[in-house]
Amino acid sequence: MTASSTIDIPGYKVGTWTLDPSHSEVGFSVRHLMISKVKGTFGSFNGTFTTTENPTDSTATASVDVASINTKDEGRDAHLRSADFFDVENYPTIEFVSTGARDENGDLKVDGNLTIKGITKPVTFDFEFGGFGQDPYGNYKGGATATTVINREDFGLTWNAALESGGVLVGDKVTITLDLQAVHQA
């Protein structure tokens, strides 16, 4: 990742960080019936961040177990796991690998390649640091939120149903929200 200047982030430490799954969430939302949004999460995921002196030179990798999807409706979750959507038998994970980061007028952007259902596309996450601190057990942790919007059809998630009232059952745009807490390893 390249940047022309180093940005200052209070509490920032160089090293390797791993996601703390009990204090993190990988979520998404998508339009349903064109009138509301359905939200869901993935219960099983992991990620590693390698931070450098210049935060914009840092790297990130993450993986999500697609079978762990939860939209609070077991029938819908089974359909999402099927070949109509994620096809978890053939594509069990969603992967992210960062390719760069930049400070855009005080806003941190993290670019990377997102792979869903075997299709890799570039995405940009808006990245907001929540802060850093030590937990009661001596672990140094950092928190952040990252969001992006993708078109699900770009990743081969094309199943849909037409509505009698017009429109479709499932919207194209999916908002991905990552609420992250990571533990500094070294």
Side-chain angles (χ1 to χ4, degrees):
M1 299 181 183
T2 306
S4 58
S5 64
T6 300
I7 58 176
D8 183 40
I9 303 169
Y12 178 86
K13 285 189 179 184
V14 171
T16 300
W17 301 72
T18 56
L19 277 182
D20 176 352
S22 66
H23 294 103
S24 299
E25 184 174 88
V26 174
F28 63 91
S29 65
V30 63
R31 285 256 173 230
H32 182 255
L33 294 174
M34 309 313 293
I35 60 172
S36 64
K37 291 184 180 179
V38 167
K39 294 181 180 184
T41 60
F42 293 94
S44 179
F45 52 87
N46 62 68
T48 302
F49 307 92
T50 303
T51 54
T52 60
E53 289 294 330
N54 181 345
T56 59
D57 290 335
S58 300
T59 60
T61 59
S63 181
V64 172
D65 176 4
V66 180
S68 70
I69 196 166
N70 181 357
T71 64
K72 299 180 184 175
D73 182 314
E74 185 51 47
R76 177 173 50 223
D77 295 345
H79 190 203
L80 290 169
R81 290 182 195 105
S82 77
D84 282 348
F85 283 97
F86 287 108
D87 191 7
V88 297
E89 286 190 35
N90 293 304
Y91 306 101
T93 61
I94 294 171
E95 306 288 332
F96 176 79
V97 177
S98 66
T99 58
R102 64 192 183 284
D103 179 5
E104 216 172 78
N105 299 318
D107 295 325
L108 186 60
K109 307 287 184 181
V110 176
D111 301 314
N113 290 318
L114 181 64
T115 303
I116 300 174
K117 204 172 177 182
I119 299 170
T120 302
K121 298 282 185 181
V123 297
T124 298
F125 280 92
D126 294 321
F127 198 84
E128 180 183 342
F129 282 105
F132 298 91
Q134 193 161 324
D135 71 14
Y137 309 102
N139 300 303
Y140 194 71
K141 294 186 170 187
T145 299
T147 58
T148 193
V149 177
I150 63 168
N151 183 324
R152 67 185 181 87
E153 293 184 351
D154 291 345
F155 294 92
L157 303 171
T158 58
W159 184 92
N160 221 331
L163 300 174
E164 287 182 25
S165 59
V168 291
L169 184 64
V170 183
D172 295 340
K173 293 186 187 326
V174 178
T175 300
I176 300 170
T177 303
L178 312 174
D179 288 309
L180 309 171
Q181 189 175 112
V183 181
H184 188 255
Q185 302 298 312

